[in-house]
Amino acid sequence: LNNSIELDKVRKDLVVSMDYELTVDGEMIDSSEENDPLEFIQGHEHIIPGLEKAIEGMTVGESKEVFVKAEDAYGAFDAENFVEIPKSEFPEEIPLEVGIEIGIEDENGEEQSAFIEEVTLDSVTLNFNHPLAGKDLNFKVKIVGIREATAEELEHDHVHGQELEDDKDCCCGDCK
Ligand code: ZN
């Protein structure tokens, strides 16, 4: 009798390691680094919905090209999604430079990401569109590993033991 969970296919609640290349408008703009695949828990919206759907059921070693339309990726570009704010409302420590990403709390207290689009003498225009909004994405992916998530990983809703980018903290101290 074999009660072990099937680990041969990508499915919900499993930790997936995946190599990827992302091409947009014919240009490769992002990829997993050599020997450092992307790790995430499948079925938890850790990756964009269209990609998550496309890799469901893939096996270790399998490669695939995945085309994700903008609406299943970062959404349509919204020309209304710009807000002009008086400069005086910005804390002094925020550098007001075009292209910088900042976090802004909305009326519900949730942090929204925005990019500085324009700076004038007394106002700043923020662009709340994701940089890839309106873009169709072409992925080349390869599944390089599948394992069971620990109970703690499922509870924390992230994969443990990852190398963090310099500016990020681990919420639980399990990452380095
Ligand atoms: Zn954690």
Side-chain angles (χ1 to χ4, degrees):
L1 199 76
N2 187 356
N3 286 324
S4 66
I5 295 179
E6 257 189 272
L7 293 173
D8 58 340
K9 281 195 174 103
V10 172
R11 62 170 179 74
K12 192 170 191 291
D13 292 346
L14 295 182
V15 174
V16 177
S17 304
M18 181 175 83
D19 279 328
Y20 72 95
E21 276 179 22
L22 171 57
T23 302
V24 176
D25 297 334
E27 196 188 333
M28 212 242 288
I29 60 162
D30 193 17
S31 70
S32 52
E33 282 167 36
E34 208 177 342
N35 302 322
D36 195 13
L38 183 69
E39 280 194 304
F40 55 91
I41 306 176
Q42 172 75 358
H44 289 239
E45 296 178 6
H46 292 172
I47 59 173
I48 56 168
L51 184 57
E52 188 169 73
K53 210 167 157 187
I55 66 166
E56 181 80 18
M58 282 178 75
T59 54
V60 174
E62 193 180 347
S63 303
K64 199 179 198 178
E65 291 198 27
V66 181
F67 175 73
V68 185
K69 286 191 79 69
E71 65 250 40
D72 294 321
Y74 294 99
F77 183 84
D78 182 357
E80 305 284 298
N81 216 356
F82 291 81
V83 178
E84 197 179 336
I85 295 174
K87 238 182 190 172
S88 55
E89 285 186 20
F90 283 86
E92 270 177 35
E93 64 267 23
I94 296 181
L96 297 180
E97 288 166 33
V98 171
I100 281 186
E101 184 179 9
I102 61 170
I104 291 253
E105 255 186 31
D106 66 14
E107 59 266 36
N108 302 318
E110 278 182 47
E111 189 160 284
Q112 303 273 344
S113 212
F115 290 82
I116 296 180
E117 182 76 15
E118 195 186 3
V119 180
T120 67
L121 214 53
D122 49 18
S123 77
V124 178
T125 303
L126 296 177
N127 176 2
F128 283 87
N129 287 291
H130 188 280
L132 291 174
K135 301 283 187 187
D136 296 331
L137 310 182
N138 288 281
F139 288 95
K140 250 191 224 167
V141 300
K142 184 180 182 187
I143 305 301
V144 295
I146 298 173
R147 69 168 169 84
E148 213 174 328
T150 65
E152 202 182 39
E153 283 174 325
L154 287 173
E155 194 190 314
H156 292 184
D157 202 23
H158 57 226
V159 177
H160 284 165
Q162 304 199 83
E163 294 232 9
L164 293 171
E165 290 167 45
D166 287 343
D167 59 337
K168 300 245 168 70
D169 282 328
C170 181
C171 57
C172 57
D174 272 308
C175 304
K176 42 191 183 301

